[in-house]
Amino acid sequence: MTRVLFVAGSGRSGSTLVTNVLGQAEGVFAAGELRYLWQRGAVEDRPCGCGQSFAECPVWTRVMKRLDADPAAVVADLGGRLRMRRLPAMLWRRRVEAHPAVAALYAALGSDLVVDSSKLPPYGLLVDGLPGVETRVLHLVRDPRATAFSWRRRRGLDGPDDPALMSRPPVAKAALLWLVWNATAALLWRRSGRYLRVRYEDFVADPAGVTARIADFAGVRGVDVPHGTVHLAPTHAVAGNPSRHRTGDVAVVADDEWVRGLSRPAFALVTAITAPLLWRWRYPLRRPAAKGG
């Protein structure tokens, strides 16, 4: 039986840092966003979190040798299965069929716990239905005004020198994605007994306490709980935020540039779209005061 901690939620919610912190524990494989493994890893040969290209990374070379699959075919198959227009049918059936190679992937990783920060709820539903996989869901949420602001930043997929940029959806689309992804994650798993919701803001305010809570939920022992700073060794996160390449001492601090930087119209628009969940998860409707002013 392979244990998977699936990190659900919206993009730009701090999942990369949380995943890498957990990945420092023995027996934990910080895999990053595994739904992108086939495209960004096997097809495009992008850098692994360890710094080597996917094809040169000894860990992923070993894993891929155990999988009998055409990566391009898996990409096409996942693209068809995970389209958002199919979401109502997925919610009704509570199941997404998986390509055989995806089912084999998690077993091939050979770790006590795989942390998969793919976030997309339909993919999480797919993982949850895999034979031989025991899934727990960490639902990581962040203020939607912060995520919308973060999405607008120009970032290379694998760092500042990468000409290929991460997606930059308009604030309205970012807000809709936040609402749909987070509402769907809560609907699917909050009553399952295998679900923990954590606010990113609480994590950066109390990294030691919240990390310990997550580790206990995931059944992880030996996590070096950070107290404001965490020491990160390289992981083999296959895709995700370029911050997965960061190593050494990393400060766990709030990124609150959005409080000043998000325009008034954008703030009002995102607030209006996401209001149904803002109050439920203790986010203020009004703009918070910026630190130092």
Side-chain angles (χ1 to χ4, degrees):
M1 181 69 70
T2 301
R3 293 192 301 125
V4 174
L5 180 67
F6 185 82
V7 184
S10 168
R12 305 299 177 93
S13 294
S15 64
T16 299
L17 179 58
V18 172
T19 297
N20 284 355
V21 168
L22 294 174
Q24 305 306 302
E26 185 176 355
V28 178
F29 189 92
E33 298 182 20
L34 279 176
R35 67 187 173 106
Y36 288 126
L37 175 144
W38 308 96
Q39 177 66 47
R40 296 184 185 172
V43 174
E44 298 177 2
D45 195 28
R46 288 193 157 272
C48 170
C50 69
Q52 298 186 76
S53 71
F54 183 84
E56 294 175 339
C57 171
V59 171
W60 288 114
T61 298
R62 172 183 57 80
V63 169
M64 296 305 290
K65 283 181 178 179
R66 299 180 62 184
L67 305 178
D68 182 18
D70 174 8
V74 180
V75 170
D77 182 82
L78 286 175
R81 294 181 191 274
L82 302 179
R83 293 186 186 280
M84 290 302 287
R85 68 168 179 260
R86 294 189 175 184
L87 184 59
M90 296 175 195
L91 293 175
W92 176 259
R93 297 176 59 204
R94 297 291 177 108
R95 184 174 178 81
V96 178
E97 299 295 333
H99 189 284
V102 177
L105 168 63
Y106 291 83
L109 293 175
S111 297
D112 295 338
L113 178 72
V114 176
V115 183
D116 180 350
S117 55
S118 290
K119 292 183 287 295
L120 187 70
Y123 187 80
L125 197 57
L126 180 152
V127 174
D128 208 11
L130 293 177
V133 170
E134 176 190 319
T135 310
R136 295 187 184 183
V137 177
L138 171 63
H139 185 185
L140 188 62
V141 298
R142 185 185 182 191
D143 191 306
R145 284 73 59 103
T147 64
F149 180 80
S150 183
W151 275 118
R152 296 305 298 157
R153 288 170 169 155
R154 293 179 61 88
R155 285 182 177 172
L157 275 175
D158 283 294
D161 297 327
D162 191 342
L165 298 179
M166 299 183 73
S167 174
R168 300 179 65 232
V171 291
K173 182 177 180 180
L176 283 169
L177 289 174
W178 185 95
L179 183 65
V180 172
W181 287 19
N182 283 300
T184 301
L187 179 64
L188 286 172
W189 291 294
R190 67 186 176 89
R191 295 182 178 176
S192 67
R194 300 175 288 111
Y195 171 89
L196 175 67
R197 184 170 62 243
V198 167
R199 300 194 327 159
Y200 169 76
E201 292 81 4
D202 296 334
F203 171 71
V204 295
D206 180 18
V210 174
T211 300
R213 196 170 146 223
I214 296 171
D216 183 66
F217 168 73
V220 175
R221 300 292 180 265
V223 177
D224 184 14
V225 180
H227 291 274
T229 300
V230 59
H231 185 81
L232 298 179
T235 70
H236 294 281
V238 71
N241 193 292
S243 63
R244 73 185 190 280
H245 298 294
R246 293 173 66 185
T247 57
D249 292 333
V250 175
V252 182
V253 295
D255 176 6
D256 58 0
E257 182 185 353
W258 69 274
V259 175
R260 294 180 183 274
L262 189 64
S263 71
R264 187 172 298 177
F267 183 93
L269 179 60
V270 176
T271 300
I273 292 171
T274 61
L277 289 180
L278 283 176
W279 67 272
R280 182 181 294 273
W281 292 339
R282 297 181 291 113
Y283 289 114
L285 294 179
R286 299 190 178 204
R287 188 188 300 259
K291 291 184 179 180

PDB file of all heavy atoms in Angstrom, residues 36-46 54-55 64 69-76 238:
ATOM      1  N   TYR A  36       1.880  16.980 -13.628  1.00  0.00           N
ATOM      2  CA  TYR A  36       2.686  17.555 -14.710  1.00  0.00           C
ATOM      3  C   TYR A  36       3.905  16.707 -15.053  1.00  0.00           C
ATOM      4  O   TYR A  36       4.680  17.085 -15.933  1.00  0.00           O
ATOM      5  CB  TYR A  36       3.162  18.953 -14.333  1.00  0.00           C
ATOM      6  CG  TYR A  36       2.088  20.002 -14.334  1.00  0.00           C
ATOM      7  CD1 TYR A  36       1.864  20.797 -13.205  1.00  0.00           C
ATOM      8  CD2 TYR A  36       1.293  20.221 -15.457  1.00  0.00           C
ATOM      9  CE1 TYR A  36       0.873  21.776 -13.203  1.00  0.00           C
ATOM     10  CE2 TYR A  36       0.306  21.194 -15.461  1.00  0.00           C
ATOM     11  CZ  TYR A  36       0.111  21.972 -14.332  1.00  0.00           C
ATOM     12  OH  TYR A  36      -0.864  22.930 -14.324  1.00  0.00           O
ATOM     13  N   LEU A  37       4.118  15.592 -14.365  1.00  0.00           N
ATOM     14  CA  LEU A  37       5.323  14.797 -14.598  1.00  0.00           C
ATOM     15  C   LEU A  37       5.482  14.411 -16.055  1.00  0.00           C
ATOM     16  O   LEU A  37       6.568  14.512 -16.634  1.00  0.00           O
ATOM     17  CB  LEU A  37       5.283  13.535 -13.725  1.00  0.00           C
ATOM     18  CG  LEU A  37       6.422  12.534 -13.932  1.00  0.00           C
ATOM     19  CD1 LEU A  37       6.810  11.901 -12.602  1.00  0.00           C
ATOM     20  CD2 LEU A  37       6.026  11.415 -14.913  1.00  0.00           C
ATOM     21  N   TRP A  38       4.391  13.981 -16.670  1.00  0.00           N
ATOM     22  CA  TRP A  38       4.471  13.439 -18.026  1.00  0.00           C
ATOM     23  C   TRP A  38       4.800  14.513 -19.060  1.00  0.00           C
ATOM     24  O   TRP A  38       5.581  14.276 -19.980  1.00  0.00           O
ATOM     25  CB  TRP A  38       3.158  12.740 -18.375  1.00  0.00           C
ATOM     26  CG  TRP A  38       2.775  11.755 -17.322  1.00  0.00           C
ATOM     27  CD1 TRP A  38       1.920  11.960 -16.265  1.00  0.00           C
ATOM     28  CD2 TRP A  38       3.287  10.435 -17.168  1.00  0.00           C
ATOM     29  NE1 TRP A  38       1.864  10.826 -15.479  1.00  0.00           N
ATOM     30  CE2 TRP A  38       2.685   9.885 -16.014  1.00  0.00           C
ATOM     31  CE3 TRP A  38       4.176   9.649 -17.917  1.00  0.00           C
ATOM     32  CZ2 TRP A  38       2.948   8.585 -15.578  1.00  0.00           C
ATOM     33  CZ3 TRP A  38       4.450   8.361 -17.489  1.00  0.00           C
ATOM     34  CH2 TRP A  38       3.839   7.842 -16.328  1.00  0.00           C
ATOM     35  N   GLN A  39       4.228  15.715 -18.890  1.00  0.00           N
ATOM     36  CA  GLN A  39       4.472  16.793 -19.848  1.00  0.00           C
ATOM     37  C   GLN A  39       5.800  17.490 -19.576  1.00  0.00           C
ATOM     38  O   GLN A  39       6.686  17.540 -20.430  1.00  0.00           O
ATOM     39  CB  GLN A  39       3.328  17.804 -19.793  1.00  0.00           C
ATOM     40  CG  GLN A  39       3.516  19.016 -20.716  1.00  0.00           C
ATOM     41  CD  GLN A  39       3.483  18.646 -22.189  1.00  0.00           C
ATOM     42  OE1 GLN A  39       2.593  17.919 -22.613  1.00  0.00           O
ATOM     43  NE2 GLN A  39       4.434  19.136 -22.974  1.00  0.00           N
ATOM     44  N   ARG A  40       5.948  18.040 -18.385  1.00  0.00           N
ATOM     45  CA  ARG A  40       7.118  18.869 -18.102  1.00  0.00           C
ATOM     46  C   ARG A  40       8.368  18.046 -17.820  1.00  0.00           C
ATOM     47  O   ARG A  40       9.486  18.494 -18.080  1.00  0.00           O
ATOM     48  CB  ARG A  40       6.818  19.796 -16.920  1.00  0.00           C
ATOM     49  CG  ARG A  40       5.705  20.787 -17.251  1.00  0.00           C
ATOM     50  CD  ARG A  40       5.466  21.762 -16.130  1.00  0.00           C
ATOM     51  NE  ARG A  40       4.328  22.624 -16.433  1.00  0.00           N
ATOM     52  CZ  ARG A  40       3.797  23.475 -15.565  1.00  0.00           C
ATOM     53  NH1 ARG A  40       4.304  23.578 -14.346  1.00  0.00           N
ATOM     54  NH2 ARG A  40       2.756  24.207 -15.910  1.00  0.00           N
ATOM     55  N   GLY A  41       8.178  16.849 -17.290  1.00  0.00           N
ATOM     56  CA  GLY A  41       9.321  15.989 -17.032  1.00  0.00           C
ATOM     57  C   GLY A  41       9.679  15.133 -18.224  1.00  0.00           C
ATOM     58  O   GLY A  41      10.704  15.337 -18.879  1.00  0.00           O
ATOM     59  N   ALA A  42       8.815  14.157 -18.544  1.00  0.00           N
ATOM     60  CA  ALA A  42       9.153  13.155 -19.556  1.00  0.00           C
ATOM     61  C   ALA A  42       9.190  13.710 -20.973  1.00  0.00           C
ATOM     62  O   ALA A  42      10.019  13.291 -21.785  1.00  0.00           O
ATOM     63  CB  ALA A  42       8.160  12.000 -19.471  1.00  0.00           C
ATOM     64  N   VAL A  43       8.305  14.649 -21.306  1.00  0.00           N
ATOM     65  CA  VAL A  43       8.263  15.180 -22.671  1.00  0.00           C
ATOM     66  C   VAL A  43       9.216  16.366 -22.842  1.00  0.00           C
ATOM     67  O   VAL A  43      10.033  16.395 -23.760  1.00  0.00           O
ATOM     68  CB  VAL A  43       6.824  15.590 -23.050  1.00  0.00           C
ATOM     69  CG1 VAL A  43       6.808  16.282 -24.418  1.00  0.00           C
ATOM     70  CG2 VAL A  43       5.902  14.372 -23.069  1.00  0.00           C
ATOM     71  N   GLU A  44       9.136  17.345 -21.935  1.00  0.00           N
ATOM     72  CA  GLU A  44       9.916  18.580 -22.092  1.00  0.00           C
ATOM     73  C   GLU A  44      11.294  18.507 -21.443  1.00  0.00           C
ATOM     74  O   GLU A  44      12.130  19.378 -21.685  1.00  0.00           O
ATOM     75  CB  GLU A  44       9.131  19.755 -21.516  1.00  0.00           C
ATOM     76  CG  GLU A  44       7.801  20.012 -22.225  1.00  0.00           C
ATOM     77  CD  GLU A  44       7.002  21.133 -21.577  1.00  0.00           C
ATOM     78  OE1 GLU A  44       7.498  21.746 -20.594  1.00  0.00           O
ATOM     79  OE2 GLU A  44       5.878  21.410 -22.047  1.00  0.00           O
ATOM     80  N   ASP A  45      11.522  17.508 -20.592  1.00  0.00           N
ATOM     81  CA  ASP A  45      12.804  17.316 -19.917  1.00  0.00           C
ATOM     82  C   ASP A  45      13.221  18.554 -19.128  1.00  0.00           C
ATOM     83  O   ASP A  45      14.367  19.015 -19.197  1.00  0.00           O
ATOM     84  CB  ASP A  45      13.897  16.932 -20.924  1.00  0.00           C
ATOM     85  CG  ASP A  45      15.143  16.368 -20.241  1.00  0.00           C
ATOM     86  OD1 ASP A  45      15.001  15.794 -19.143  1.00  0.00           O
ATOM     87  OD2 ASP A  45      16.251  16.511 -20.805  1.00  0.00           O
ATOM     88  N   ARG A  46      12.285  19.083 -18.352  1.00  0.00           N
ATOM     89  CA  ARG A  46      12.581  20.249 -17.517  1.00  0.00           C
ATOM     90  C   ARG A  46      13.351  19.829 -16.268  1.00  0.00           C
ATOM     91  O   ARG A  46      13.382  18.654 -15.915  1.00  0.00           O
ATOM     92  CB  ARG A  46      11.275  20.964 -17.138  1.00  0.00           C
ATOM     93  CG  ARG A  46      10.671  21.688 -18.309  1.00  0.00           C
ATOM     94  CD  ARG A  46       9.573  22.641 -17.893  1.00  0.00           C
ATOM     95  NE  ARG A  46       9.431  23.658 -18.931  1.00  0.00           N
ATOM     96  CZ  ARG A  46      10.124  24.785 -18.960  1.00  0.00           C
ATOM     97  NH1 ARG A  46      10.990  25.043 -18.000  1.00  0.00           N
ATOM     98  NH2 ARG A  46       9.955  25.643 -19.936  1.00  0.00           N
ATOM     99  N   PHE A  54      15.307  16.232 -15.974  1.00  0.00           N
ATOM    100  CA  PHE A  54      14.495  15.061 -15.655  1.00  0.00           C
ATOM    101  C   PHE A  54      15.161  13.782 -16.158  1.00  0.00           C
ATOM    102  O   PHE A  54      15.225  12.773 -15.456  1.00  0.00           O
ATOM    103  CB  PHE A  54      13.106  15.219 -16.272  1.00  0.00           C
ATOM    104  CG  PHE A  54      12.148  14.108 -15.946  1.00  0.00           C
ATOM    105  CD1 PHE A  54      11.433  14.124 -14.759  1.00  0.00           C
ATOM    106  CD2 PHE A  54      11.955  13.046 -16.823  1.00  0.00           C
ATOM    107  CE1 PHE A  54      10.551  13.102 -14.446  1.00  0.00           C
ATOM    108  CE2 PHE A  54      11.077  12.027 -16.526  1.00  0.00           C
ATOM    109  CZ  PHE A  54      10.371  12.054 -15.327  1.00  0.00           C
ATOM    110  N   ALA A  55      15.690  13.832 -17.387  1.00  0.00           N
ATOM    111  CA  ALA A  55      16.295  12.637 -17.985  1.00  0.00           C
ATOM    112  C   ALA A  55      17.589  12.233 -17.304  1.00  0.00           C
ATOM    113  O   ALA A  55      17.989  11.062 -17.366  1.00  0.00           O
ATOM    114  CB  ALA A  55      16.541  12.862 -19.471  1.00  0.00           C
ATOM    115  N   MET A  64      11.101   5.884 -14.093  1.00  0.00           N
ATOM    116  CA  MET A  64      10.558   5.763 -15.450  1.00  0.00           C
ATOM    117  C   MET A  64      10.878   4.412 -16.076  1.00  0.00           C
ATOM    118  O   MET A  64      10.125   3.919 -16.918  1.00  0.00           O
ATOM    119  CB  MET A  64      11.073   6.898 -16.324  1.00  0.00           C
ATOM    120  CG  MET A  64      10.610   8.294 -15.883  1.00  0.00           C
ATOM    121  SD  MET A  64       8.802   8.464 -15.748  1.00  0.00           S
ATOM    122  CE  MET A  64       8.327   8.402 -17.482  1.00  0.00           C
ATOM    123  N   ALA A  69       5.142   3.076 -20.558  1.00  0.00           N
ATOM    124  CA  ALA A  69       4.151   4.044 -21.025  1.00  0.00           C
ATOM    125  C   ALA A  69       4.766   5.007 -22.019  1.00  0.00           C
ATOM    126  O   ALA A  69       5.963   5.328 -21.948  1.00  0.00           O
ATOM    127  CB  ALA A  69       3.583   4.822 -19.842  1.00  0.00           C
ATOM    128  N   ASP A  70       3.938   5.498 -22.913  1.00  0.00           N
ATOM    129  CA  ASP A  70       4.300   6.569 -23.840  1.00  0.00           C
ATOM    130  C   ASP A  70       3.884   7.879 -23.182  1.00  0.00           C
ATOM    131  O   ASP A  70       2.687   8.137 -23.033  1.00  0.00           O
ATOM    132  CB  ASP A  70       3.580   6.383 -25.171  1.00  0.00           C
ATOM    133  CG  ASP A  70       3.795   7.548 -26.123  1.00  0.00           C
ATOM    134  OD1 ASP A  70       4.630   8.431 -25.818  1.00  0.00           O
ATOM    135  OD2 ASP A  70       3.100   7.603 -27.151  1.00  0.00           O
ATOM    136  N   PRO A  71       4.839   8.707 -22.727  1.00  0.00           N
ATOM    137  CA  PRO A  71       4.478   9.930 -22.002  1.00  0.00           C
ATOM    138  C   PRO A  71       3.489  10.814 -22.756  1.00  0.00           C
ATOM    139  O   PRO A  71       2.560  11.365 -22.150  1.00  0.00           O
ATOM    140  CB  PRO A  71       5.823  10.634 -21.812  1.00  0.00           C
ATOM    141  CG  PRO A  71       6.815   9.533 -21.801  1.00  0.00           C
ATOM    142  CD  PRO A  71       6.304   8.531 -22.796  1.00  0.00           C
ATOM    143  N   ALA A  72       3.667  10.964 -24.066  1.00  0.00           N
ATOM    144  CA  ALA A  72       2.754  11.811 -24.835  1.00  0.00           C
ATOM    145  C   ALA A  72       1.329  11.272 -24.785  1.00  0.00           C
ATOM    146  O   ALA A  72       0.358  12.034 -24.725  1.00  0.00           O
ATOM    147  CB  ALA A  72       3.230  11.925 -26.277  1.00  0.00           C
ATOM    148  N   ALA A  73       1.191   9.953 -24.799  1.00  0.00           N
ATOM    149  CA  ALA A  73      -0.141   9.346 -24.722  1.00  0.00           C
ATOM    150  C   ALA A  73      -0.772   9.582 -23.355  1.00  0.00           C
ATOM    151  O   ALA A  73      -1.985   9.817 -23.249  1.00  0.00           O
ATOM    152  CB  ALA A  73      -0.051   7.847 -25.014  1.00  0.00           C
ATOM    153  N   VAL A  74       0.045   9.543 -22.300  1.00  0.00           N
ATOM    154  CA  VAL A  74      -0.479   9.800 -20.956  1.00  0.00           C
ATOM    155  C   VAL A  74      -0.912  11.260 -20.829  1.00  0.00           C
ATOM    156  O   VAL A  74      -1.946  11.565 -20.232  1.00  0.00           O
ATOM    157  CB  VAL A  74       0.560   9.445 -19.882  1.00  0.00           C
ATOM    158  CG1 VAL A  74      -0.005   9.724 -18.488  1.00  0.00           C
ATOM    159  CG2 VAL A  74       0.983   7.990 -19.996  1.00  0.00           C
ATOM    160  N   VAL A  75      -0.126  12.174 -21.408  1.00  0.00           N
ATOM    161  CA  VAL A  75      -0.486  13.595 -21.390  1.00  0.00           C
ATOM    162  C   VAL A  75      -1.858  13.803 -22.041  1.00  0.00           C
ATOM    163  O   VAL A  75      -2.725  14.493 -21.499  1.00  0.00           O
ATOM    164  CB  VAL A  75       0.583  14.439 -22.113  1.00  0.00           C
ATOM    165  CG1 VAL A  75       0.098  15.875 -22.303  1.00  0.00           C
ATOM    166  CG2 VAL A  75       1.886  14.430 -21.331  1.00  0.00           C
ATOM    167  N   ALA A  76      -2.039  13.209 -23.204  1.00  0.00           N
ATOM    168  CA  ALA A  76      -3.311  13.352 -23.913  1.00  0.00           C
ATOM    169  C   ALA A  76      -4.455  12.739 -23.119  1.00  0.00           C
ATOM    170  O   ALA A  76      -5.557  13.299 -23.054  1.00  0.00           O
ATOM    171  CB  ALA A  76      -3.209  12.703 -25.289  1.00  0.00           C
ATOM    172  N   VAL A 238       9.030  17.330  -9.175  1.00  0.00           N
ATOM    173  CA  VAL A 238       9.124  17.269 -10.633  1.00  0.00           C
ATOM    174  C   VAL A 238       8.552  18.495 -11.321  1.00  0.00           C
ATOM    175  O   VAL A 238       8.920  18.807 -12.450  1.00  0.00           O
ATOM    176  CB  VAL A 238       8.450  15.984 -11.151  1.00  0.00           C
ATOM    177  CG1 VAL A 238       6.945  16.071 -10.998  1.00  0.00           C
ATOM    178  CG2 VAL A 238       8.848  15.697 -12.586  1.00  0.00           C
TER     179      VAL A 238
END
